[in-house]
Amino acid sequence: ETGVTQSPTHLIKTRGQQVTLRCSSQSGHNTVSWYQQALGQGPQFIFQYYREEENGRGNFPPRFSGLQFPNYSSELNVNALELDDSALYLCASSLAYEQYFGPGTRLTVT
Amino acid sequence: QQQVKQSPQSLIVQKGGISIINCAYENTAFDYFPWYQQFPGKGPALLIAIRPDVSEKKEGRFTISFNKSAKQFSLHIMDSQPGDSATYFCAASRPGSGGSNYKLTFGKGTLLTVNP
């Protein structure tokens, strides 16, 4: 186990709704990265937070937003959900190069 | 443009055999190359990683071979076991701020099946 936890485990939402996913990083880690993994694909980088500041963003629209809190936990918010947002959302925490992933949140948009 | 190309897409080996998965990258700024193992319904687990200052790294049955001039690296699983059956992803990243690495760019994955 990596010590990275995510909630909820599964989520079903309707197109157009908004969703918030949560991640608790491993103790001592100050960086959280979020990834989207579609079925049968490798994870795609959404954005990274380092010491509460966004530290880079992938090719995702602004309706994907995030936060990092003083305890280094993080949230991923997605507005105006689309069917293509259905995926496994992974967070990874790190202190240096090694990124450790949580179990993910499976989001289904209907 | 796919920055990390992984092959094969799927691989079947017999128990006790050697599994070999290959990756090629394009961005010469990459300086960290990890391999992840993922079981269905789980998050990726870090297996082994290498920096470009060495050509090989071994941890137990897992070995990474790295060829900087060819911009290629590979994962070798010795004495493959049925429990190794999973999807394997190579990845690459470049330096970020504050000592933490930047985004991981993943290959598309290799589904490994080890037959008993």
Side-chain angles (χ1 to χ4, degrees), chain A residues 31 35 37 41-43 45 48 50 55-57 88 90 94-103, chain B residues 31-32 36 38 41-44 46 51 89 93 95 97-104 106-108:
Chain A
T31 303
Y35 295 81
Q37 186 177 24
Q41 300 295 316
F45 176 76
Q48 182 181 82
Y50 170 65
N55 186 41
R57 187 178 185 91
L88 181 68
L90 297 160
S94 58
L95 181 62
Y97 275 84
E98 296 84 6
Q99 290 194 19
Y100 297 94
F101 284 84
Chain B
D31 75 339
Y32 173 71
Y36 284 85
Q38 187 175 31
K42 304 293 185 183
L46 179 62
R51 303 287 301 279
F89 293 96
S93 73
S97 63
S100 182
N101 69 328
Y102 194 50
K103 68 176 182 178
L104 286 169
F106 283 85
K108 291 191 172 184

Side-chain angles (χ1 to χ4, degrees), chain A residues 41-54:
Chain A
Q41 300 295 316
Q44 296 292 315
F45 176 76
I46 302 175
F47 43 58
Q48 182 181 82
Y49 281 85
Y50 170 65
R51 293 183 176 178
E52 302 180 58
E53 297 288 330
E54 187 176 294

Side-chain angles (χ1 to χ4, degrees), chain B residues 40-99:
Chain B
K42 304 293 185 183
L46 179 62
L47 258 184
I48 186 172
I50 198 167
R51 303 287 301 279
D53 53 342
V54 297
S55 61
E56 186 174 283
K57 182 175 181 180
K58 183 177 180 179
E59 289 183 2
R61 295 185 295 112
F62 302 93
T63 300
I64 298 180
S65 297
F66 186 83
N67 186 328
K68 187 174 181 178
S69 61
K71 292 187 287 185
Q72 295 176 347
F73 59 109
S74 60
L75 175 69
H76 296 232
I77 306 175
M78 312 300 289
D79 188 26
S80 298
Q81 300 297 312
D84 296 331
S85 297
T87 301
Y88 291 81
F89 293 96
C90 64
S93 73
R94 60 176 176 83
S97 63

Side-chain angles (χ1 to χ4, degrees), chain A residues 65-80:
Chain A
S65 63
L67 282 173
Q68 188 179 32
F69 300 100
N71 66 354
Y72 301 132
S73 66
S74 179
E75 287 183 355
L76 164 65
N77 300 290
V78 187
N79 294 321

